[in-house]
Amino acid sequence: SMALDTACSSSLVATVQGCRSLQSGLTKNGLCLGVNAMINANVAVVMSQSGMLSADGRCKTFDASANGFVRGEGCGAVLLQRVGKSDAVLG
């Protein structure tokens, strides 16, 4: 078990570490999880006061009418498992 906090890339770093563990033979499988929970309201207040958040609450990435970003909570999980050559699906 390992906890990682790298700000925006924690889930990616956890998945890379899981893949490296599989490649090295250290583990046979791994469960990589990522969670974003907005527990402290102070961060949202500072971002809002700084004009970083979208005033209308809509994300318009790469659009001329973009006016900030929208924060959200979420989680995801990926089960990593070594696959032998005889188990591989080719297609």
Side-chain angles (χ1 to χ4, degrees):
S1 177
M2 174 188 292
L4 298 168
D5 185 1
T6 62
C8 297
S9 63
S10 298
S11 298
L12 176 61
V13 173
T15 303
V16 168
Q17 291 301 318
C19 290
R20 286 182 178 167
S21 180
L22 291 173
Q23 289 172 336
S24 71
L26 186 62
T27 58
K28 293 180 182 178
N29 53 45
L31 184 60
C32 300
L33 299 133
V35 176
N36 180 40
M38 297 182 294
I39 298 170
N40 188 341
N42 292 337
V43 174
V45 170
V46 170
M47 288 183 172
S48 178
Q49 290 174 345
S50 301
M52 298 169 66
L53 300 179
S54 174
D56 58 9
R58 296 183 178 257
C59 186
K60 296 172 252 172
T61 307
F62 306 116
D63 191 287
S65 65
N67 61 356
F69 71 97
V70 180
R71 298 187 73 209
E73 293 181 308
C75 69
V78 176
L79 176 62
L80 303 175
Q81 186 174 16
R82 275 188 78 82
V83 177
K85 289 183 181 180
S86 61
D87 299 330
V89 178
L90 303 175

